[in-house]
């Protein structure tokens, strides 16, 4: 877990021998935030400069340099095809985008003017995104294995008007194929 101690720097901890002890990785800045542990045990950190994958003592960097520095939303997701996704927002330039690392390459997709706050994958294999104050968007399962940047994704599924006044829109799918969305007014299926 992490503690945000001045809105820009984080201290990470791990549980070891009955106690929480500091967890540090040489080469990571204090601005790095652990956002995902992937299915192979890799630790994914994000900061304003990019993604950092820590695995087996090595750090692999995916720099956002071409997109400019920005805040990353504090969530990431690994899809069923092995793609790693992260929402990204540069409020000064009013840029909202979604980044994906697939087969060692960093790709970016434009979003409607709000950051991604949550991810889920439905039973059909589509990737669902909750876009802050905008609604739910989808990237079709046929697009997830593609190695090249994708056109016309993500596509809207439900607008803010179609869901009761969501802000963050927590997403969960169920065994029956439904998608649950947490809103300011309760759960919507």
């Amino acid at each position: 877990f992490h503690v945000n101690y001045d809105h820009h720097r984080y201290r990470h901890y791990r549980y070891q021998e009955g106690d929480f002890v500091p967890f540090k990785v040489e080469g990571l800045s204090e601005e790095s935030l652990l956002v995902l542990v992937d299915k192979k045990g890799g630790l994914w950190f994000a900061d304003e400069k990019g993604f950092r994958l820590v695995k087996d003592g090595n750090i692999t960097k995916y720099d956002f340099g071409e997109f400019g520095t920005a805040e990353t939303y504090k969530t990431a997701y690994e899809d069923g095809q092995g793609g790693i996704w992260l929402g990204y927002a540069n409020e000064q330039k009013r840029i909202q985008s979604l980044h994906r690392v697939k087969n060692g390459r960093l790709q970016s997709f434009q979003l409607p003017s709000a950051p991604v706050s949550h991810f889920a994958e439905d039973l059909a294999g589509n990737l669902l995104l909750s876009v802050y104050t905008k609604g739910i968007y989808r990237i079709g399962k046929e697009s997830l294995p593609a190695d090249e940047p994708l056109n016309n994704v993500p596509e809207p599924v439900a607008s803010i008007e179609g869901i009761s006044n969501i802000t963050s829109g927590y997403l969960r799918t169920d065994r029956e194929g439904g998608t649950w969305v947490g809103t300011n007014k309760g759960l919507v299926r």
Side-chain angles (χ1 to χ4, degrees), residues 38-150:
D38 68 27
K39 294 171 187 164
K40 296 178 181 176
L43 304 176
W44 291 84
F45 292 84
D47 63 21
E48 67 180 15
K49 298 175 185 170
F51 259 151
R52 306 293 182 258
L53 168 60
V54 178
K55 180 137 172 78
D56 301 325
N58 299 312
I59 298 176
T60 304
K61 297 179 181 181
Y62 299 95
D63 289 321
F64 297 161
E66 66 186 272
F67 311 110
T69 60
E71 293 288 322
T72 56
Y73 205 80
K74 296 171 180 67
T75 187
Y77 186 81
E78 181 178 12
D79 68 37
Q81 302 292 324
I84 306 293
W85 299 85
L86 177 75
Y88 179 81
N90 184 324
E91 297 300 328
Q92 292 175 337
K93 293 183 179 178
R94 296 181 182 233
I95 296 172
Q96 311 295 329
S97 59
L98 179 65
H99 293 309
R100 174 176 77 165
V101 175
K102 179 77 173 176
N103 296 327
R105 291 184 32 222
L106 179 66
Q107 300 166 335
S108 181
F109 308 92
Q110 286 303 119
L111 288 174
S113 59
V116 173
S117 56
H118 296 280
F119 298 89
E121 210 161 341
D122 65 18
L123 288 180
N126 299 303
L127 181 63
L128 302 173
L129 320 167
S130 175
V131 179
Y132 188 75
T133 72
K134 298 296 180 187
I136 308 303
Y137 286 72
R138 172 181 47 228
I139 297 176
K141 66 180 178 183
E142 65 284 346
S143 298
L144 293 180
D147 287 331
E148 298 303 316
L150 311 172

Side-chain angles (χ1 to χ4, degrees), residues 30-45:
E30 288 186 338
E31 287 82 22
S32 296
L33 172 65
L34 178 64
V35 293
L36 179 71
V37 177
D38 68 27
K39 294 171 187 164
K40 296 178 181 176
L43 304 176
W44 291 84
F45 292 84

